[in-house]
Amino acid sequence: MNARIAILGATGAVGLEFLNLLAERNLPAANLRLLASSRSAGKSMQYAGTELIVEEVGPESFKDIDIALFSAGGSTSRHWARIAIESGARVVDNSSAFRMDEGVPLVIPEINPEAIGDAKVIANPNCSTIIMNMAVWPLHRRNPVERIIVSTYQAVSGAGQQAMLELESQTRDVLAGRPANPSVLPVQTAFNLFSHNTAIDETGYNIEEVKMIKETRKIFGAPDLAITATCIRVPVLRAHSESINLSFSGPMSESEARSILAEAPGVTLVDDRANNRFPMPIDATGKDDCLVGRIRSDASRNDGRGIELFVCGDQLRKGAALNAVQIAELLLN
Ligand code: A2P
């Protein structure tokens, strides 16, 4: 990769994954600027065998930067995006700040790369939305999906680095007979699961569910797509799992769904009925591809238009940093 890149939120869970991905792409350390808040200013981080020092983000941070990768929360994005653009950078934003704004492309490179155009800010979708649609889009292209019913089993990494550390320390505490004492996530995570920690709106859906619904419609360019979601947090470190029920406009056999998904970019089939081996978050961890399996016809209908799937994807890779780096690569080409 040959560009000057700044990472805002370099010390966070997604920020660390940005460093891994950029090193894999041989971005020289001299082309990389690490930015965070004053809390982390001066901290040294390893990058491709070099030590880089984290700087506090400021008005001069984006001078000479081609692409700014933002993953420091919505309010930080809102504050710094305009300043980064005025400095001449293009921003790939991992927060939800701009995702639904008209004129801001919301992009999954395997689905809608053409949406980027000459936009200065490109929004990276919600992690559960990306992971679901890596499996749904290839099927939707062949046979339009009329309805999606999805239930998620989401890793704690989506709540940031501190939530991952909390799951580890809480698991040790509970095993040692000590109280769980949750502080980052609202309730005990170890040996438990709970409704996603985002706020519930007046309809009873939580914000994560609303994101999956609205963002999928925007990415697919299908404003009337029927979709409902139930989002659950589980004690898994960094890969999300999702059970997906699809209704198609026309018949879709399980063998057709399997052969479409076998060819789909960014997807690996894990569908071994004989050995009862299917996608698991532990196998998706650290992988670029999303794992798809449990492909079967929906037994609750007799018109051949329903398919069930199970998907696992690394929340920090395809769900966040990898998708953003793929967008950056599109910007550079
Ligand atoms: P810092 O280390 O200075 O707190 P995560 O989502 O894993 O919790 O990470 C959040 C990232 O966003 C961290 O790198 C954090 O930096 C950064 N961050 C949070 N708030 C700000 C802010 N106001 N300005 C700049 N960076 C911020």
Side-chain angles (χ1 to χ4, degrees):
M1 196 182 250
N2 188 18
R4 286 155 305 176
I5 303 224
I7 302 175
L8 177 55
T11 52
V14 176
L16 294 174
E17 208 54 41
F18 276 137
L19 294 183
N20 294 333
L21 288 160
L22 295 173
E24 282 169 21
R25 283 152 172 79
N26 298 315
L27 179 81
N31 289 22
L32 186 57
R33 186 170 298 156
L34 306 186
L35 304 169
S37 76
S38 56
R39 290 180 292 272
S40 296
K43 183 181 168 185
S44 101
M45 293 180 79
Q46 284 294 322
Y47 174 77
T50 312
E51 272 201 2
L52 291 178
I53 303 298
V54 178
E55 298 167 37
E56 179 180 0
V57 62
E60 306 299 313
S61 296
F62 303 100
K63 293 261 149 64
D64 307 325
I65 292 295
D66 299 307
I67 296 177
L69 302 170
F70 279 19
S71 191
S75 56
T76 308
S77 290
R78 258 183 233 104
H79 182 81
W80 292 104
R82 187 182 48 79
I83 295 161
I85 291 165
E86 283 170 3
S87 302
R90 292 175 90 182
V91 174
V92 183
D93 183 35
N94 195 51
S95 82
S96 59
F98 307 110
R99 286 182 192 151
M100 296 311 298
D101 288 8
E102 215 168 303
V104 174
L106 183 62
V107 174
I108 300 175
E110 290 84 351
I111 299 179
N112 60 341
E114 71 289 345
I116 292 176
D118 56 6
K120 297 291 184 210
V121 177
I122 298 94
N124 206 47
N126 163 271
C127 46
S128 302
T129 308
I130 295 175
I131 290 163
M132 172 175 80
N133 289 324
M134 289 300 289
V136 174
W137 174 258
L139 301 169
H140 176 73
R141 277 184 69 192
R142 296 280 278 274
N143 185 345
V145 167
E146 286 185 341
R147 185 178 185 208
I148 304 175
I149 303 171
V150 59
S151 300
T152 69
Y153 311 72
Q154 296 185 219
V156 296
S157 54
Q161 182 76 18
Q162 294 308 315
M164 296 172 78
L165 296 172
E166 178 169 85
L167 173 58
E168 288 180 353
S169 64
Q170 203 176 78
T171 303
R172 280 191 211 99
D173 285 342
V174 173
L175 285 173
R178 293 188 289 266
N181 282 332
S183 64
V184 182
L185 285 162
V187 294
Q188 178 173 334
T189 313
F191 308 100
N192 190 24
L193 57 81
F194 52 93
S195 182
H196 196 276
N197 43 294
T198 45
I200 304 279
D201 73 10
E202 66 288 352
T203 65
Y205 281 80
N206 63 46
I207 302 300
E208 184 82 353
E209 292 159 355
V210 173
K211 287 177 186 171
M212 291 190 79
I213 293 167
K214 291 189 172 166
E215 293 181 19
T216 297
R217 290 178 179 150
K218 178 167 175 173
I219 295 162
F220 282 22
D224 299 323
L225 180 67
I227 165 166
T228 182
T230 301
C231 291
I232 302 292
R233 200 64 94 182
V234 297
V236 167
L237 271 179
R238 58 173 282 173
H240 287 353
S241 304
E242 306 186 23
S243 165
I244 306 169
N245 179 281
L246 299 173
S247 297
F248 292 91
S249 341
M252 169 72 80
S253 68
E254 63 180 46
S255 62
E256 188 185 0
R258 193 172 291 112
S259 67
I260 292 170
L261 290 166
E263 303 284 302
V267 166
T268 299
L269 274 192
V270 182
D271 206 25
D272 181 357
R273 291 180 179 179
N275 294 301
N276 210 341
R277 289 308 294 261
F278 299 106
M280 295 191 289
I282 213 159
D283 291 335
T285 294
K287 298 236 168 63
D288 286 352
D289 274 12
C290 294
L291 312 182
V292 183
R294 299 294 331 269
I295 300 166
R296 62 207 191 277
S297 291
D298 178 348
S300 72
R301 51 196 300 164
N302 54 16
D303 58 2
R305 296 199 287 123
I307 289 286
E308 292 275 359
L309 302 171
F310 193 73
V311 181
C312 294
D314 188 313
Q315 187 272 330
L316 295 174
R317 285 227 153 199
K318 188 58 188 169
L322 173 62
N323 197 74
V325 167
Q326 288 174 323
I327 292 171
E329 287 171 335
L330 291 173
L331 294 177
L332 295 172
N333 290 328

